[in-house]
Amino acid sequence: MSVVEGEFQPGITRAEKSLFSPAIDFIFLGGGYLAILLPIVLFFPRDEMVISQVAIAFLILANFINHPHFAHSYHIFYRDFFDKFFDPNFELKNRFIFAGIIVPIVLFWLFHLLPF
């Protein structure tokens, strides 16, 4: 089964495929937090205390905006992992193996095993 065939599922609405709702997912995927960032950058004073408070606020925002997005993306990508991996007719098998197995191993090696 190819990715295109797997995407079409009769009887499932667009709202059921989304994490929160199609509109909210679009805002999160498009970097909706930039609407918050621009006023902060333009109107707040640029001293060290404000910069550190803004940095902490954005770390907290990243937890609520980026983590659900990444969790949902990983769920979509790794769904039916073994079926995709062992299916000889899966058209994107090489890309799937590279993006889903090799790249995470290389990133793990770069960030955890190399002494920086």
CSV table of all heavy atoms in Angstrom, one decimal, residues 67-114:
chain,number,residue,atom,x,y,z
A,67,HIS,N,5.4,20.5,20.9
A,67,HIS,CA,5.4,19.1,21.3
A,67,HIS,C,4.2,18.4,20.8
A,67,HIS,O,4.3,17.3,20.3
A,67,HIS,CB,5.6,19.0,22.8
A,67,HIS,CG,7.0,19.4,23.2
A,67,HIS,ND1,7.4,19.7,24.5
A,67,HIS,CD2,8.2,19.4,22.5
A,67,HIS,CE1,8.6,19.9,24.5
A,67,HIS,NE2,9.2,19.8,23.3
A,68,PRO,N,3.0,18.9,20.9
A,68,PRO,CA,1.8,18.2,20.3
A,68,PRO,C,2.0,18.0,18.8
A,68,PRO,O,1.6,17.0,18.2
A,68,PRO,CB,0.6,19.1,20.6
A,68,PRO,CG,1.0,19.9,21.8
A,68,PRO,CD,2.5,20.1,21.6
A,69,HIS,N,2.5,19.0,18.1
A,69,HIS,CA,2.8,18.9,16.7
A,69,HIS,C,3.7,17.8,16.3
A,69,HIS,O,3.5,17.0,15.5
A,69,HIS,CB,3.3,20.2,16.1
A,69,HIS,CG,4.0,20.1,14.8
A,69,HIS,ND1,3.3,19.8,13.6
A,69,HIS,CD2,5.3,20.2,14.5
A,69,HIS,CE1,4.2,19.7,12.6
A,69,HIS,NE2,5.4,20.0,13.1
A,70,PHE,N,4.8,17.7,17.0
A,70,PHE,CA,5.8,16.7,16.8
A,70,PHE,C,5.3,15.3,17.2
A,70,PHE,O,5.5,14.3,16.4
A,70,PHE,CB,7.1,17.0,17.5
A,70,PHE,CG,7.9,18.1,16.9
A,70,PHE,CD1,8.3,19.2,17.7
A,70,PHE,CD2,8.3,18.1,15.6
A,70,PHE,CE1,9.0,20.2,17.1
A,70,PHE,CE2,9.0,19.1,15.0
A,70,PHE,CZ,9.4,20.2,15.8
A,71,ALA,N,4.6,15.2,18.2
A,71,ALA,CA,4.0,13.9,18.6
A,71,ALA,C,3.0,13.4,17.6
A,71,ALA,O,3.0,12.3,17.2
A,71,ALA,CB,3.3,14.1,20.0
A,72,HIS,N,2.2,14.3,17.1
A,72,HIS,CA,1.2,13.9,16.1
A,72,HIS,C,1.9,13.6,14.8
A,72,HIS,O,1.6,12.6,14.1
A,72,HIS,CB,0.2,15.0,15.8
A,72,HIS,CG,-1.0,14.7,15.0
A,72,HIS,ND1,-1.8,13.6,15.4
A,72,HIS,CD2,-1.4,15.1,13.9
A,72,HIS,CE1,-2.7,13.5,14.5
A,72,HIS,NE2,-2.6,14.4,13.5
A,73,SER,N,3.0,14.3,14.4
A,73,SER,CA,3.7,14.0,13.2
A,73,SER,C,4.4,12.7,13.3
A,73,SER,O,4.4,11.9,12.3
A,73,SER,CB,4.8,15.1,12.9
A,73,SER,OG,4.2,16.3,12.7
A,74,TYR,N,5.0,12.4,14.4
A,74,TYR,CA,5.7,11.1,14.6
A,74,TYR,C,4.6,9.9,14.6
A,74,TYR,O,4.9,8.9,14.0
A,74,TYR,CB,6.4,11.0,16.0
A,74,TYR,CG,7.6,11.8,16.0
A,74,TYR,CD1,8.0,12.5,17.2
A,74,TYR,CD2,8.4,12.0,14.9
A,74,TYR,CE1,9.1,13.3,17.2
A,74,TYR,CE2,9.5,12.8,14.9
A,74,TYR,CZ,9.9,13.4,16.1
A,74,TYR,OH,11.0,14.2,16.1
A,75,HIS,N,3.5,10.2,15.1
A,75,HIS,CA,2.4,9.2,15.0
A,75,HIS,C,2.0,8.9,13.6
A,75,HIS,O,1.9,7.7,13.2
A,75,HIS,CB,1.2,9.6,15.8
A,75,HIS,CG,0.0,8.7,15.7
A,75,HIS,ND1,0.0,7.5,16.3
A,75,HIS,CD2,-1.1,8.9,15.0
A,75,HIS,CE1,-1.2,6.9,16.0
A,75,HIS,NE2,-1.9,7.7,15.2
A,76,ILE,N,1.9,9.9,12.8
A,76,ILE,CA,1.6,9.7,11.4
A,76,ILE,C,2.7,9.0,10.7
A,76,ILE,O,2.5,8.1,9.9
A,76,ILE,CB,1.3,11.1,10.7
A,76,ILE,CG1,0.0,11.7,11.2
A,76,ILE,CG2,1.2,11.0,9.2
A,76,ILE,CD1,-0.3,13.1,10.8
A,77,PHE,N,3.9,9.4,10.9
A,77,PHE,CA,5.1,8.9,10.2
A,77,PHE,C,5.3,7.4,10.5
A,77,PHE,O,5.5,6.6,9.7
A,77,PHE,CB,6.3,9.7,10.4
A,77,PHE,CG,7.5,9.2,9.6
A,77,PHE,CD1,7.6,9.6,8.3
A,77,PHE,CD2,8.5,8.4,10.2
A,77,PHE,CE1,8.7,9.2,7.5
A,77,PHE,CE2,9.6,8.0,9.4
A,77,PHE,CZ,9.7,8.4,8.1
A,78,TYR,N,5.3,7.1,11.8
A,78,TYR,CA,5.6,5.7,12.3
A,78,TYR,C,4.4,4.8,12.4
A,78,TYR,O,4.6,3.6,12.8
A,78,TYR,CB,6.4,5.8,13.6
A,78,TYR,CG,7.8,6.4,13.4
A,78,TYR,CD1,8.1,7.6,13.9
A,78,TYR,CD2,8.8,5.6,12.8
A,78,TYR,CE1,9.4,8.1,13.7
A,78,TYR,CE2,10.0,6.1,12.6
A,78,TYR,CZ,10.3,7.4,13.1
A,78,TYR,OH,11.6,7.9,12.9
A,79,ARG,N,3.2,5.2,12.0
A,79,ARG,CA,2.1,4.4,12.1
A,79,ARG,C,2.3,3.2,11.1
A,79,ARG,O,2.8,3.4,10.0
A,79,ARG,CB,0.8,5.2,11.7
A,79,ARG,CG,-0.4,4.3,11.6
A,79,ARG,CD,-1.6,5.2,11.3
A,79,ARG,NE,-1.3,6.2,10.4
A,79,ARG,CZ,-2.0,7.4,10.3
A,79,ARG,NH1,-3.0,7.6,11.0
A,79,ARG,NH2,-1.6,8.3,9.4
A,80,ASP,N,2.0,2.0,11.5
A,80,ASP,CA,2.2,0.8,10.7
A,80,ASP,C,3.6,0.7,10.2
A,80,ASP,O,3.9,0.4,9.1
A,80,ASP,CB,1.3,0.8,9.4
A,80,ASP,CG,-0.2,0.9,9.8
A,80,ASP,OD1,-0.5,0.3,10.9
A,80,ASP,OD2,-1.0,1.5,9.1
A,81,PHE,N,4.6,0.9,11.1
A,81,PHE,CA,6.0,0.9,10.8
A,81,PHE,C,6.4,-0.4,10.2
A,81,PHE,O,7.0,-0.4,9.1
A,81,PHE,CB,6.8,1.2,12.1
A,81,PHE,CG,8.3,1.1,11.9
A,81,PHE,CD1,9.0,2.1,11.3
A,81,PHE,CD2,9.0,0.0,12.3
A,81,PHE,CE1,10.3,2.0,11.1
A,81,PHE,CE2,10.3,-0.1,12.1
A,81,PHE,CZ,11.0,0.9,11.5
A,82,PHE,N,6.1,-1.5,10.8
A,82,PHE,CA,6.6,-2.8,10.3
A,82,PHE,C,5.9,-3.2,9.0
A,82,PHE,O,6.5,-3.8,8.1
A,82,PHE,CB,6.4,-3.9,11.3
A,82,PHE,CG,7.4,-3.7,12.5
A,82,PHE,CD1,6.9,-3.3,13.7
A,82,PHE,CD2,8.7,-3.9,12.4
A,82,PHE,CE1,7.8,-3.1,14.8
A,82,PHE,CE2,9.6,-3.7,13.4
A,82,PHE,CZ,9.1,-3.3,14.6
A,83,ASP,N,4.7,-2.7,8.8
A,83,ASP,CA,4.0,-3.0,7.5
A,83,ASP,C,4.7,-2.3,6.4
A,83,ASP,O,4.9,-2.8,5.3
A,83,ASP,CB,2.5,-2.6,7.6
A,83,ASP,CG,1.7,-3.4,8.6
A,83,ASP,OD1,2.2,-4.6,8.9
A,83,ASP,OD2,0.7,-3.0,9.0
A,84,LYS,N,5.1,-1.0,6.6
A,84,LYS,CA,5.8,-0.3,5.6
A,84,LYS,C,7.2,-0.8,5.4
A,84,LYS,O,7.6,-0.9,4.2
A,84,LYS,CB,5.9,1.2,6.0
A,84,LYS,CG,4.5,1.9,6.0
A,84,LYS,CD,4.7,3.3,6.6
A,84,LYS,CE,3.4,4.0,6.8
A,84,LYS,NZ,3.6,5.3,7.5
A,85,PHE,N,7.8,-1.2,6.4
A,85,PHE,CA,9.2,-1.6,6.3
A,85,PHE,C,9.4,-2.9,5.6
A,85,PHE,O,10.3,-3.1,4.8
A,85,PHE,CB,9.8,-1.7,7.7
A,85,PHE,CG,11.3,-2.0,7.7
A,85,PHE,CD1,12.2,-1.0,7.5
A,85,PHE,CD2,11.8,-3.3,8.0
A,85,PHE,CE1,13.6,-1.3,7.5
A,85,PHE,CE2,13.1,-3.6,8.0
A,85,PHE,CZ,14.0,-2.6,7.8
A,86,PHE,N,8.4,-3.8,5.8
A,86,PHE,CA,8.6,-5.2,5.2
A,86,PHE,C,7.7,-5.3,3.9
A,86,PHE,O,7.7,-6.4,3.3
A,86,PHE,CB,8.2,-6.2,6.2
A,86,PHE,CG,9.2,-6.3,7.3
A,86,PHE,CD1,8.9,-6.0,8.6
A,86,PHE,CD2,10.5,-6.8,7.0
A,86,PHE,CE1,9.8,-6.1,9.6
A,86,PHE,CE2,11.4,-6.9,8.0
A,86,PHE,CZ,11.1,-6.5,9.3
A,87,ASP,N,7.0,-4.3,3.5
A,87,ASP,CA,6.1,-4.4,2.3
A,87,ASP,C,7.0,-4.1,1.1
A,87,ASP,O,7.6,-3.1,0.9
A,87,ASP,CB,5.0,-3.3,2.3
A,87,ASP,CG,4.1,-3.4,1.2
A,87,ASP,OD1,4.2,-4.4,0.4
A,87,ASP,OD2,3.2,-2.5,1.1
A,88,PRO,N,7.2,-5.2,0.2
A,88,PRO,CA,8.0,-5.0,-1.0
A,88,PRO,C,7.4,-4.0,-2.0
A,88,PRO,O,8.1,-3.5,-2.9
A,88,PRO,CB,8.1,-6.4,-1.6
A,88,PRO,CG,6.9,-7.1,-1.1
A,88,PRO,CD,6.6,-6.5,0.3
A,89,ASN,N,6.1,-3.7,-1.9
A,89,ASN,CA,5.5,-2.8,-2.9
A,89,ASN,C,5.4,-1.4,-2.4
A,89,ASN,O,4.8,-0.5,-3.1
A,89,ASN,CB,4.1,-3.3,-3.2
A,89,ASN,CG,4.1,-4.7,-3.9
A,89,ASN,OD1,5.0,-5.0,-4.6
A,89,ASN,ND2,3.2,-5.5,-3.5
A,90,PHE,N,5.9,-1.1,-1.2
A,90,PHE,CA,5.9,0.3,-0.7
A,90,PHE,C,6.8,1.2,-1.5
A,90,PHE,O,8.1,1.0,-1.5
A,90,PHE,CB,6.3,0.3,0.8
A,90,PHE,CG,6.2,1.6,1.5
A,90,PHE,CD1,5.0,2.3,1.4
A,90,PHE,CD2,7.2,2.1,2.2
A,90,PHE,CE1,4.9,3.6,2.0
A,90,PHE,CE2,7.2,3.3,2.8
A,90,PHE,CZ,6.0,4.1,2.7
A,91,GLU,N,6.3,2.1,-2.2
A,91,GLU,CA,7.0,2.9,-3.2
A,91,GLU,C,8.1,3.8,-2.5
A,91,GLU,O,9.1,4.1,-3.1
A,91,GLU,CB,6.1,3.8,-4.0
A,91,GLU,CG,5.1,2.9,-4.9
A,91,GLU,CD,4.0,3.8,-5.5
A,91,GLU,OE1,4.1,5.0,-5.3
A,91,GLU,OE2,3.2,3.2,-6.1
A,92,LEU,N,7.8,4.3,-1.3
A,92,LEU,CA,8.7,5.2,-0.7
A,92,LEU,C,9.6,4.5,0.4
A,92,LEU,O,10.1,5.2,1.3
A,92,LEU,CB,7.9,6.3,0.0
A,92,LEU,CG,7.0,7.2,-1.0
A,92,LEU,CD1,6.2,8.1,-0.2
A,92,LEU,CD2,7.9,7.9,-1.9
A,93,LYS,N,9.8,3.2,0.2
A,93,LYS,CA,10.5,2.5,1.2
A,93,LYS,C,11.9,3.0,1.5
A,93,LYS,O,12.3,3.2,2.7
A,93,LYS,CB,10.6,1.0,0.8
A,93,LYS,CG,11.2,0.1,1.9
A,93,LYS,CD,11.1,-1.3,1.5
A,93,LYS,CE,11.6,-2.2,2.6
A,93,LYS,NZ,11.4,-3.6,2.2
A,94,ASN,N,12.7,3.3,0.5
A,94,ASN,CA,14.0,3.8,0.7
A,94,ASN,C,14.0,5.2,1.4
A,94,ASN,O,14.8,5.4,2.4
A,94,ASN,CB,14.8,4.0,-0.6
A,94,ASN,CG,15.1,2.6,-1.2
A,94,ASN,OD1,15.2,1.6,-0.5
A,94,ASN,ND2,15.2,2.6,-2.5
A,95,ARG,N,13.1,6.1,1.1
A,95,ARG,CA,13.0,7.3,1.8
A,95,ARG,C,12.5,7.2,3.2
A,95,ARG,O,13.0,7.9,4.1
A,95,ARG,CB,12.0,8.3,1.0
A,95,ARG,CG,12.6,8.7,-0.4
A,95,ARG,CD,11.6,9.5,-1.2
A,95,ARG,NE,11.5,10.8,-0.6
A,95,ARG,CZ,10.7,11.7,-1.1
A,95,ARG,NH1,9.8,11.4,-2.0
A,95,ARG,NH2,10.6,12.9,-0.5
A,96,PHE,N,11.6,6.2,3.4
A,96,PHE,CA,11.1,5.9,4.7
A,96,PHE,C,12.2,5.4,5.6
A,96,PHE,O,12.4,5.9,6.8
A,96,PHE,CB,10.0,4.9,4.6
A,96,PHE,CG,9.4,4.5,5.9
A,96,PHE,CD1,8.5,5.3,6.6
A,96,PHE,CD2,9.8,3.3,6.5
A,96,PHE,CE1,8.0,4.9,7.8
A,96,PHE,CE2,9.2,2.9,7.7
A,96,PHE,CZ,8.4,3.7,8.4
A,97,ILE,N,13.0,4.5,5.1
A,97,ILE,CA,14.1,4.0,5.9
A,97,ILE,C,15.2,5.0,6.2
A,97,ILE,O,15.7,5.1,7.3
A,97,ILE,CB,14.8,2.8,5.1
A,97,ILE,CG1,13.8,1.6,5.1
A,97,ILE,CG2,16.1,2.4,5.8
A,97,ILE,CD1,14.3,0.4,4.2
A,98,PHE,N,15.5,5.9,5.2
A,98,PHE,CA,16.5,6.9,5.4
A,98,PHE,C,16.0,7.9,6.4
A,98,PHE,O,16.6,8.3,7.4
A,98,PHE,CB,16.8,7.6,4.1
A,98,PHE,CG,17.8,8.7,4.2
A,98,PHE,CD1,19.2,8.4,4.4
A,98,PHE,CD2,17.4,10.0,4.2
A,98,PHE,CE1,20.1,9.4,4.6
A,98,PHE,CE2,18.4,11.0,4.4
A,98,PHE,CZ,19.7,10.7,4.5
A,99,ALA,N,14.7,8.5,6.3
A,99,ALA,CA,14.2,9.5,7.1
A,99,ALA,C,13.8,9.0,8.5
A,99,ALA,O,13.8,9.7,9.5
A,99,ALA,CB,13.0,10.2,6.5
A,100,GLY,N,13.3,7.7,8.6
A,100,GLY,CA,12.8,7.2,9.8
A,100,GLY,C,13.7,6.4,10.6
A,100,GLY,O,13.5,6.2,11.8
A,101,ILE,N,14.8,5.9,10.0
A,101,ILE,CA,15.8,5.0,10.8
A,101,ILE,C,17.2,5.6,10.8
A,101,ILE,O,17.8,5.8,11.8
A,101,ILE,CB,15.8,3.6,10.2
A,101,ILE,CG1,14.3,3.0,10.3
A,101,ILE,CG2,16.8,2.7,10.9
A,101,ILE,CD1,14.2,1.7,9.6
A,102,ILE,N,17.7,5.9,9.6
A,102,ILE,CA,19.1,6.3,9.5
A,102,ILE,C,19.3,7.7,10.1
A,102,ILE,O,20.2,7.9,10.9
A,102,ILE,CB,19.6,6.2,8.0
A,102,ILE,CG1,19.6,4.8,7.6
A,102,ILE,CG2,20.9,6.9,7.8
A,102,ILE,CD1,19.8,4.6,6.1
A,103,VAL,N,18.5,8.7,9.7
A,103,VAL,CA,18.6,10.0,10.2
A,103,VAL,C,18.5,10.1,11.7
A,103,VAL,O,19.3,10.7,12.4
A,103,VAL,CB,17.7,11.0,9.5
A,103,VAL,CG1,17.6,12.4,10.2
A,103,VAL,CG2,18.0,11.2,8.0
A,104,PRO,N,17.5,9.5,12.4
A,104,PRO,CA,17.5,9.5,13.8
A,104,PRO,C,18.7,8.9,14.5
A,104,PRO,O,19.2,9.4,15.5
A,104,PRO,CB,16.2,8.7,14.2
A,104,PRO,CG,15.3,8.8,13.0
A,104,PRO,CD,16.3,8.9,11.8
A,105,ILE,N,19.3,7.8,13.9
A,105,ILE,CA,20.5,7.2,14.4
A,105,ILE,C,21.7,8.2,14.3
A,105,ILE,O,22.4,8.3,15.3
A,105,ILE,CB,20.8,5.8,13.8
A,105,ILE,CG1,19.7,4.8,14.2
A,105,ILE,CG2,22.2,5.4,14.1
A,105,ILE,CD1,19.8,3.5,13.4
A,106,VAL,N,21.8,8.8,13.2
A,106,VAL,CA,22.9,9.8,13.0
A,106,VAL,C,22.7,10.9,13.9
A,106,VAL,O,23.7,11.4,14.5
A,106,VAL,CB,22.9,10.2,11.5
A,106,VAL,CG1,23.9,11.4,11.3
A,106,VAL,CG2,23.4,9.1,10.6
A,107,LEU,N,21.5,11.5,14.1
A,107,LEU,CA,21.3,12.6,15.0
A,107,LEU,C,21.6,12.1,16.5
A,107,LEU,O,22.2,12.9,17.2
A,107,LEU,CB,19.9,13.1,14.9
A,107,LEU,CG,19.5,13.9,13.7
A,107,LEU,CD1,18.0,14.2,13.6
A,107,LEU,CD2,20.3,15.1,13.6
A,108,PHE,N,21.2,11.0,16.8
A,108,PHE,CA,21.5,10.5,18.2
A,108,PHE,C,23.0,10.4,18.4
A,108,PHE,O,23.6,10.8,19.4
A,108,PHE,CB,20.9,9.1,18.4
A,108,PHE,CG,21.3,8.5,19.7
A,108,PHE,CD1,20.6,8.9,20.9
A,108,PHE,CD2,22.3,7.5,19.8
A,108,PHE,CE1,20.9,8.3,22.1
A,108,PHE,CE2,22.6,7.0,21.1
A,108,PHE,CZ,21.9,7.4,22.2
A,109,TRP,N,23.7,9.9,17.4
A,109,TRP,CA,25.2,9.8,17.4
A,109,TRP,C,25.8,11.2,17.5
A,109,TRP,O,26.7,11.3,18.4
A,109,TRP,CB,25.7,9.0,16.2
A,109,TRP,CG,27.2,8.9,16.2
A,109,TRP,CD1,27.9,8.1,16.9
A,109,TRP,CD2,28.1,9.6,15.3
A,109,TRP,NE1,29.3,8.2,16.6
A,109,TRP,CE2,29.4,9.2,15.7
A,109,TRP,CE3,27.9,10.6,14.4
A,109,TRP,CZ2,30.5,9.7,15.0
A,109,TRP,CZ3,29.0,11.2,13.8
A,109,TRP,CH2,30.3,10.7,14.1
A,110,LEU,N,25.3,12.1,16.7
A,110,LEU,CA,25.9,13.5,16.8
A,110,LEU,C,25.7,14.1,18.1
A,110,LEU,O,26.6,14.8,18.6
A,110,LEU,CB,25.3,14.3,15.6
A,110,LEU,CG,25.8,14.1,14.3
A,110,LEU,CD1,25.0,14.9,13.2
A,110,LEU,CD2,27.3,14.4,14.2
A,111,PHE,N,24.5,14.0,18.7
A,111,PHE,CA,24.2,14.8,19.9
A,111,PHE,C,24.5,14.1,21.2
A,111,PHE,O,24.6,14.8,22.2
A,111,PHE,CB,22.7,15.3,19.8
A,111,PHE,CG,22.4,16.3,18.8
A,111,PHE,CD1,21.6,16.0,17.7
A,111,PHE,CD2,23.0,17.5,18.8
A,111,PHE,CE1,21.4,16.9,16.7
A,111,PHE,CE2,22.8,18.5,17.9
A,111,PHE,CZ,21.9,18.2,16.8
A,112,HIS,N,24.6,12.8,21.2
A,112,HIS,CA,24.8,12.1,22.4
A,112,HIS,C,26.2,11.4,22.6
A,112,HIS,O,26.6,11.1,23.7
A,112,HIS,CB,23.7,11.1,22.6
A,112,HIS,CG,22.4,11.7,22.9
A,112,HIS,ND1,22.0,12.4,24.0
A,112,HIS,CD2,21.3,11.8,22.1
A,112,HIS,CE1,20.8,12.8,23.9
A,112,HIS,NE2,20.3,12.5,22.7
A,113,LEU,N,26.8,11.1,21.5
A,113,LEU,CA,28.0,10.3,21.6
A,113,LEU,C,29.2,11.1,21.3
A,113,LEU,O,30.3,10.7,21.7
A,113,LEU,CB,27.9,9.1,20.6
A,113,LEU,CG,26.8,8.1,20.9
A,113,LEU,CD1,26.8,7.0,19.9
A,113,LEU,CD2,26.8,7.5,22.3
A,114,LEU,N,29.1,12.2,20.5
A,114,LEU,CA,30.3,13.0,20.2
A,114,LEU,C,30.6,13.9,21.4
A,114,LEU,O,29.7,14.5,22.0
A,114,LEU,CB,30.1,13.8,19.0
A,114,LEU,CG,30.1,13.1,17.6
A,114,LEU,CD1,29.8,14.1,16.5
A,114,LEU,CD2,31.4,12.4,17.4
